[in-house]
Each structure stands twice: as C-alpha cells, then as structure tokens.
Amino acid sequence: MPRIDPAAVLAQLDLEEKASLLSGSGFWHTRAVERLGIPSIMVADGPHGLRKQPGAGDHVGAGDSVPATCFPTAAALGSSFDVDLVRRVGEAIGQEARAQGVAVVLGPGINIKRTPLCGRNFEYLSEDPLVSGVLGAALVDGVQSQGVGTSLKHFAVNNQETDRLRVSAVVDERTLREIYLAGFEHVVRTARPWTVMCSYNRVNGVYASEDPWLLTTVLRDEWQFDGLVVSDWGAVDDPVAAVAAGLDLEMPSSHGGGPTRVTAAVGSGALDESVVDRAVERLLQLLDRVAPGTWAGDGFDEDGHHELARSVAAECAVLLTNDHGLLPLRDDLTRVAVVGEFARSPRFQGAGSSKVSPTRVDDALSALHGRLGEIVQIEFAPGFGVDDPEADEDALRTEAVELAAGADVVLVFLGLPPSFESEGFDRDRMDLPDEQIRLLEAVGGVTDRVVVVLANGGAVTTAPWQHHAGAILEGWLGGQAGGGAIVDVLVGDVDPSGRLAETIPVRLVDTPAFPTFPGRDSEVVYGEGVFVGYRYYDLVDRPVSFPFGHGLSYTTFEYSDLEVDVVNVVGDPDPSADWRGPARITASVRVTNTGERAGKDVVQLYVGAPDTPRPRTVRELRGFAKVALAPGESREVSFTLTERDLSQWSTRAHDWVLEPGRFAVSVGASSRDIRCTAVVTVEGPRPVLPLGRNSTLAEWLDHPVGRGTIEEALRSAPGGDMTPLLADPETLRMLGSFPLTRLVVMLGDAMGDRLVDRLLAEVTGGSE
Ligand code: BGC
C-alpha cells in the first residue's frame, strides 16, 4: 500500500471530501478519495478471532463471515493470567487479518465485569483492571506486531447490555479512574493501539461518542493517545458534537448524514474547520500506518492456529474443586460415562458481533474417544436439550442416570445455552438451567464420582449443585479447539493452570451491583463505587463459592522467603520514571512446586494500604506472574511496585495521590488465600491537596502553608487573638468540617469571602 503524507494530502482535500472521510463506506470500510489516491481500508471484528464479512455486513453476528480460527473468548483468556500466551493469540489473529486484507481488528474488549449478569461478559477479561489492562495490552501487542491495527473497546464504562445505546453510567471520579479507566489507560500507554472505539452508552449523562473530557482530555492529553477514535457501530447521536469532542470516524456509514451535518456546521461557523482537519489527519495517519503487504493475502497456518487455540484453551481452564483426586482421570478406568449435550455439541463462543465462523470445531466426546477410546469404554447420553423446547427432559435424564450408575467416573458437561447470554441483552439469573441442575442431582444420586465440566461465558453459580460434584472444571467458552483442550486437562496431559479472573459468588444477591443493576429510566448508578468483585467481597467478608484468583493444579505450590523492600524516593522523583512514577516497593518471593507433577502457578501479589483514608479496599491485585515448574523446582519471582501502584485517585486533587504509611504486601493463591505478608512503611511527605474557597478549617490546618496563614489570621482577628481555639481538640473537631468562608462569617466577619480570597492568594502566591 502506498505511503501517505497526511499533511500534504489534507491540504488538497476540499471540505466536502474531508467531511465525507469522517464516516465509513458501508459496514466495514473507510471511505476512499480516488482523485488523491486515498485508499479505503477494511476493519473487522473481533476480539477472539476474525469475523470478516465478505458480503453484506451486520454487527449482530447474523451474516456469514470467512472461516477463521476461533480462539478462546476473553472470559477464558482472562483466566490464563498468561501475558505471553495472550500475545501469541494476538499474533495469530493479526496474521489472519493480514491474510484477509483486514487493516484493523475491532478488539480487544476490556470492560470491567461489574456484574456477572452482563450478557457480554464472555467478551471481557476480568473484574480487575490490572488483569484487563495487562492482558489487553498483550493482545494489542500481538496483533499490532503483524502490522495490523487494533481497536480498544468499548471506551468507556460499558458494563451492561441493557439499554446500552442510551444508558448513562453514573459513576464517581475515583471509581472511574481506579476501576473503569485504569485498564484502558494501561493499554493505551503501554501498547499504543492504533484505534480506540468509543462505547454506545453515556457516562455521567454525556454520550461517550461526544464526550470531550473522555475522548480528548483523558485519552489524548493525559494518556498521550495518538491514534484514531472510531465510534461503536451506530454510537453517534450528534455527529457534529462527536467530531468536536474528538471522535474521528463514525461507523458504519451514515450514508452522507453525518458528513452533511458536519459540512453545514462548518459553514455556519458552529464547528471550526480545523477540528475536521484534525480528525481527517488522524484517519490519514491510520491509513499510513497500515503495513505494506496487508493486502497481500499471504495465507495463514490453519493447523498451527488450531493447535495454538487448543493449547491456549487448556491453559485457561480453571479447576475449581478436585475432591479425592478425582482428576486427572486414573489410567485404570474401564468405563467412563459422558453426560451432557455440550460434550457432543460444544458451546465455544458467544453470540453477536464477535461470532467467528470457525475453521473446524473439536468436541470433547470425540477427543475423549481419540485419547482413551482404545483402552476405556466410553458411553454417552445427552442428558438435556440445548435451547430445545421439544426435548423430553425426563427421558433424557433417566437415560443418563442409567448410564452413570454403572460407570467408574461420570463426566457431566453442563453450561449456558446460547439463549442465556449474548451481546445485546443481559442475563436475569446466574444459575445454570433448571433441567441441568435436575440432571446433576439425579446423577449425583447414583454415584459420587462425578466431574462437572462447565461451558459458559458469564460466571454461573455453583452453590446450588456443587455438593454433587467431586470435581469441577470451568472451561469457559474455550474456542473451536476447546473440546480437545478440556480432554487434555481431564486426562492430565496438561496441568490446569487457569485462575479465576472474576469471583464466583454464592448467590446473585451477594453481588455488589445487585441493588442498582441494570438501572432504570436509562440511568444506572454505580453505587458500589470502587468495590467491584473481590474488592467488595473481601471488604464485607462475604462468603463466596470461589474467590478471585482461585484455581487448583494437579500439583501443589508453596511460597516462601517473601522479601519486601521500600525504595524511599528522596528529592525529585526519578526523571526516567515512566507514567507510573518511580519505583517505591520491590518484592520477591520463592515459589516451589512441592508436588510430583510438573505444573504452572499464577503468583499473585496483593497490596493493602491500611493508612489510606476510607473508604478503602482491603487489598488489590498489583502484580501477577505465571511460572512453570518441574516437580521440586523452585524459582524466585520479583515485582516492582511504582508510585502509582500505591496511590489512590483523589477527587480533591484530581490526581493520583500517595499517602505515606503502612502497606501490606501479600502473596497469595487467591484474594482469600493469602500465604505470606510483609508490612512495610513508605515514607514521604503527606500529599498536599490544593486549597480552594470551599476548603474546611481542618483542610487549611492540614496544609503545610495554609496552617501558618490561618494561625496568623486568627492571631490578628479583629476581636482579639483567637489561636487558643486551635489548642482545644474538641472545639477543633466540631469546627474542623466548616468551610472557612462560612466560619469567618459566623465569627463575625461579614466580609468573610474577601478574607478567604486574600488568604488563598497568600497560600498560592497569588496564583489563584
Ligand atoms: C459492537 C462492537 C463491534 C461492532 C461492529 C457493535 O455492536 O458493540 O463491539 O465491534 O458492533 O461489529
């Protein structure tokens, strides 16, 4: 593809041409301007495989797309906790995109799983922003290493499907920064995606597509994003406001509607032409970035990618329980009963825009026959119908129970039918379908050697039935090779090394967003604030079925020799420090494989900050590393925590603030299974929060300069020295919360406002 000189090309375009470029051509292409040789490029979904539609386009997964490898969905990838692995998936998707002439892959989606009910959780990585950000960045890196762009989505606060095109997420500034924007920030700053896709919803009343704060102040000015912002498909409500806010490309085509309004707005003076130029320039820059050769149709290694999809899916499966060593399957078995339609007809991806046409699909039943069929008798009963109102559940159940009764072990494949979860709508329950639970209860009545294998995108409750299962293997929606991967884990060819990237609560009503989800009248209030997922359950000490970070292995790991050192930064922070600020804590821990099999563990580093102001979390994940260890092998794993890792967002300072004090640095096998902790003290000046007209007496006294100013003002008060007030703790406690403006008026100075302005000027040296 020819290189483009954006500035030179821009200068030759007239206003109509420029405006026309700001809206797509059809469903999947940008617009060309032949006169100047501006090409059109193709974009395509989506996060876990390519969905290139050669013919008519749609964004709901209805029409055909060319065959592509369907990798495990994000819900599964999140559980891998494996940066290298996710990067390899990205590389493979990038290769397939190149082979198909697709310039930008519309993903990854890294929205936070605020509630398990979000119908699209299968497309998202985690309830935790660190996991979302780090793995999201790995996927972006992988795709873009192939000269193909990505579109980080859905920016921002798109955590439900209900009313998704209008709903306003009402969320406070701290929660936004610490939970809902943090993952995006990490990906933008570290992996530099070529494009970011704005979401459908509104954030605090403003459509994401026309929010200058989101699209320009935060994304570009703060995070230094230098790519293009594209709308989600149909997210633009007011095309003029959108361009003004920083949206560069409206998708799909608005058939001239958007461009006409933009041109008219420039004509009437409502929109400056330079704003249009800015957006067009970004589009031209994107075109220029598309690697020469993206169009070559160079093919890809179908078999290799299928094998990769299989090994990745195996790394994502989470072994939730394994009583009496039921797994891996023993090699002296003679009869294995396989129950559940999903063993034969796997559910391996979700519905909607991310739906891939797989190059092939492995089912667990065939894979099991292939792996064990020669030595073991394998019998199958479907047990239930999937989204089949005609299915005779009683007969299916009876058949399955008869089969189970005579088997050495029963593998029961359960999961969510497609009708239970999808893009476009939310779930209304977390439970498995009733008929599946009835089936399991019946099977559990005749044998206690039951292994449940789950296929679901959003988390399901296990509490209602887990006592019937000796072992539970959560396979998520594991992509086209997921069936084989599950067998690899069941028989022990692969050690289960997935860990939960989201908590599995006991009941839906235990979930933090339960009282407010999905909102009403197009508004949803994020009342739980930063207490999302484990941050909530751990704060209120709520029992959960399986905590965040949990997952068993066929071997065991021990942690020892936790060493935590504080790096006290003296003087100016290290100028070479990155956006996270200088290093403040280093931690290392020895992890040892104490079992008899090789395995992989995910070492999780949590930090609690008991001296930071409330409300505060108990602990938050600040680092993770996946390590492969042979039996008896041990390795040291190290982490560096930066200033940012120890900071919280201050709504007063509108910035990250590190409160010096104690920090509990822990290593654990889940947020609830903390194995060792070191408490260290980070020293440093207390953060200086800015004073304003509304600042209270206590805030003034807390301020290093403000305190002296106040003391001086009180000393020379018109009615005589009032500093003795400050010596009485009880009085101070009562008066401390009064803004100074009100206090001075109450103390008899009618001109209190002016006095406060003067004091403020003294403190700020006249800059305010
Ligand atoms: C989805 C996006 C997707 C787009 C194009 C929208 O409905 O929200 O995730 O990339 O369609 O298919």
Side-chain angles (χ1 to χ4, degrees):
M1 192 175 161
R3 307 298 293 189
I4 290 170
D5 177 348
V9 174
L10 182 66
Q12 298 175 61
L13 289 163
D14 64 32
L15 177 61
E16 276 74 23
E17 286 170 326
K18 286 190 278 194
S20 78
L21 285 168
L22 303 188
S23 173
S25 165
F27 238 81
W28 302 119
H29 291 86
T30 62
R31 198 163 272 283
V33 177
E34 271 155 31
R35 177 177 83 78
L36 296 173
I38 299 178
S40 153
I41 56 169
M42 183 173 201
V43 302
D45 284 303
H48 58 264
L50 199 67
R51 180 171 168 266
K52 177 189 172 180
Q53 291 193 297
D58 72 89
H59 62 304
V60 291
D64 281 346
S65 56
V66 299
T69 312
C70 179
F71 288 96
T73 58
L77 290 179
S79 295
S80 77
F81 280 81
D82 191 328
V83 176
D84 294 336
L85 196 78
V86 174
R87 191 175 199 284
R88 280 168 58 207
V89 172
E91 285 165 6
I93 293 174
Q95 281 158 18
E96 297 195 20
R98 278 181 70 107
Q100 298 291 351
V102 169
V104 176
V105 174
L106 302 177
I110 63 158
N111 295 93
I112 292 290
K113 301 186 194 207
R114 174 178 179 244
T115 162
L117 293 184
C118 174
R120 213 173 174 182
N121 272 359
F122 67 89
E123 274 193 71
Y124 301 141
L125 291 157
S126 178
E127 69 187 21
D128 179 84
L130 181 75
V131 179
S132 306
V134 171
L135 297 184
L139 205 92
V140 168
D141 271 343
V143 174
Q144 294 192 169
S145 71
Q146 302 305 304
V148 171
T150 52
S151 199
L152 184 67
K153 67 189 187 183
H154 308 88
F155 189 61
V157 209
N158 179 185
N159 312 99
Q160 65 182 56
E161 294 300 282
T162 306
D163 205 11
R164 66 172 165 156
L165 278 95
R166 290 185 314 188
V167 72
S168 173
V170 178
V171 50
D172 67 85
E173 192 181 317
R174 176 180 169 208
T175 303
L176 263 176
R177 294 291 189 155
E178 292 185 16
I179 304 292
Y180 295 100
L181 297 183
F184 284 97
E185 179 177 11
H186 185 96
V187 182
V188 167
R189 294 212 198 235
T190 63
R192 306 178 78 79
W194 291 8
T195 81
V196 164
M197 183 190 292
C198 78
S199 56
Y200 285 129
N201 53 288
R202 291 177 291 150
V203 181
N204 291 324
V206 184
Y207 279 111
S209 61
E210 52 193 65
D211 187 343
W213 177 79
L214 203 57
L215 301 187
T216 299
T217 310
V218 172
L219 182 62
R220 293 188 187 278
D221 300 347
E222 287 183 30
W223 301 349
Q224 311 287 300
F225 175 65
D226 63 357
L228 168 132
V229 178
V230 58
S231 72
D232 198 346
W233 267 231
V236 172
D237 189 56
D238 175 343
V240 176
V243 178
L247 184 93
D248 305 310
L249 177 63
E250 174 192 23
M251 287 299 283
S253 165
S254 56
H255 307 290
T260 306
R261 286 173 67 181
V262 167
T263 312
V266 173
S268 72
L271 187 70
D272 203 289
E273 189 165 346
S274 65
V275 176
V276 176
D277 288 354
R278 190 183 63 188
V280 172
E281 203 166 351
R282 289 182 192 138
L283 177 73
L284 295 170
Q285 277 158 0
L286 174 68
L287 301 181
D288 183 47
R289 264 174 151 168
V290 174
T294 301
W295 317 106
D298 31 3
F300 68 93
D301 176 4
E302 231 178 89
D303 294 337
H305 285 192
H306 185 76
E307 277 316 304
L308 174 64
R310 180 167 177 157
S311 62
V312 173
E315 302 268 334
C316 299
V318 185
L319 184 61
L320 296 175
T321 56
N322 191 17
D323 298 343
H324 321 298
L326 210 48
L327 290 178
L329 296 175
R330 291 198 327 260
D331 44 19
D332 61 351
L333 300 173
T334 55
R335 270 189 77 192
V336 174
V338 179
V339 168
E341 183 58 52
F342 289 125
R344 177 172 66 179
S345 322
R347 181 148 182 265
F348 58 94
Q349 65 174 332
S353 60
S354 67
K355 196 165 160 207
V356 173
S357 296
T359 57
R360 72 189 81 155
V361 178
D362 291 346
D363 65 273
L365 187 57
S366 309
L368 208 60
H369 275 292
R371 179 67 173 72
L372 297 180
E374 307 229 316
I375 38 175
V376 178
Q377 189 185 344
I378 299 168
E379 289 166 305
F380 171 72
F384 55 85
V386 177
D387 282 337
D388 176 8
E390 308 288 300
D392 182 343
E393 300 301 342
D394 291 342
L396 288 167
R397 190 165 58 248
T398 307
E399 178 198 16
V401 170
E402 277 167 16
L403 200 72
D408 298 328
V409 65
V410 191
L411 308 176
V412 186
F413 285 75
L414 305 178
L416 293 179
S419 65
F420 273 52
E421 59 178 347
S422 165
E423 177 181 341
F425 59 86
D426 290 317
R427 297 156 73 196
D428 52 16
R429 50 184 274 170
M430 271 193 77
D431 301 327
L432 288 172
D434 296 338
E435 64 275 11
Q436 293 188 27
I437 298 179
R438 279 197 293 270
L439 169 73
L440 183 64
E441 280 165 354
V443 169
V446 296
T447 172
D448 58 2
R449 303 191 57 77
V450 175
V451 176
V452 169
V453 179
L454 290 171
N456 48 290
V460 295
T461 48
T462 56
W465 50 262
Q466 81 184 61
H467 49 286
H468 294 297
I472 307 173
L473 183 62
E474 171 59 91
W476 303 110
L477 300 180
Q480 67 180 48
I486 284 295
V487 172
D488 293 339
V489 175
L490 289 174
V491 301
D493 291 346
V494 175
D495 180 58
S497 64
R499 304 290 186 259
L500 289 177
E502 61 187 298
T503 313
I504 300 185
V506 177
R507 307 166 305 171
L508 175 61
V509 294
D510 294 332
T511 58
F514 182 75
T516 50
F517 171 86
R520 59 154 68 166
D521 300 334
S522 298
E523 184 175 273
V524 53
V525 178
Y526 285 31
E528 70 285 357
V530 296
F531 300 101
V532 176
Y534 69 91
R535 288 169 169 79
Y536 171 74
Y537 303 113
D538 290 351
L539 178 80
V540 299
D541 206 12
R542 172 102 6 124
V544 299
S545 289
F546 299 102
F548 175 85
H550 169 78
L552 303 174
S553 161
Y554 292 148
T555 182
T556 46
F557 300 98
E558 251 176 44
Y559 307 113
S560 59
D561 306 333
L562 173 64
E563 276 190 28
V564 180
D565 288 313
V566 176
V567 187
N568 274 317
V569 179
V570 185
D572 286 339
D574 176 2
S576 65
D578 67 7
W579 57 277
R580 301 182 196 90
R584 299 305 299 257
I585 285 180
T586 56
S588 66
V589 67
R590 180 157 292 282
V591 52
T592 307
N593 180 347
T594 46
E596 269 148 32
R597 305 172 66 101
K600 286 187 183 168
D601 189 31
V602 176
V603 184
Q604 302 163 37
L605 188 87
Y606 294 90
V607 174
D611 291 337
T612 56
R614 285 175 198 278
R616 60 171 170 259
T617 52
V618 178
R619 66 183 70 86
E620 299 184 64
L621 187 75
R622 288 289 183 249
F624 60 88
K626 195 161 195 176
V627 274
L629 294 170
E633 190 186 349
S634 93
R635 188 164 323 152
E636 190 181 276
V637 180
S638 324
F639 301 90
T640 300
L641 300 181
T642 62
E643 182 136 347
R644 168 71 180 268
D645 292 320
L646 307 180
S647 302
Q648 297 189 332
W649 183 265
S650 160
T651 303
R652 240 179 96 201
H654 303 295
D655 203 355
W656 297 97
V657 163
L658 191 159
E659 191 82 35
R662 289 168 305 152
F663 288 85
V665 180
S666 311
V667 171
S670 80
S671 85
R672 290 276 169 102
D673 183 5
I674 298 299
R675 303 279 180 85
C676 31
T677 298
V679 178
V680 293
T681 301
V682 173
E683 288 162 9
R686 295 268 323 283
V688 178
L689 298 178
L691 291 172
R693 296 192 82 259
N694 224 13
S695 295
T696 62
L697 175 64
E699 287 163 359
W700 276 87
L701 291 173
D702 209 28
H703 191 276
V705 183
R707 182 172 191 100
T709 313
I710 285 292
E711 281 172 351
E712 188 48 43
L714 286 177
R715 197 164 294 121
S716 50
D721 183 5
M722 292 178 72
T723 45
L725 262 183
L726 302 181
D728 175 13
E730 285 310 310
T731 315
L732 256 191
R733 223 171 154 191
M734 300 258 296
L735 293 180
S737 61
F738 270 79
L740 209 56
T741 41
R742 313 258 191 101
L743 207 57
V744 284
V745 172
M746 280 171 51
L747 292 178
D749 183 349
M751 307 305 284
D753 273 7
R754 287 235 297 270
L755 171 66
V756 174
D757 282 341
R758 186 170 58 72
L759 296 180
L760 268 177
E762 274 176 35
V763 169
T764 58
S767 64
E768 261 186 42

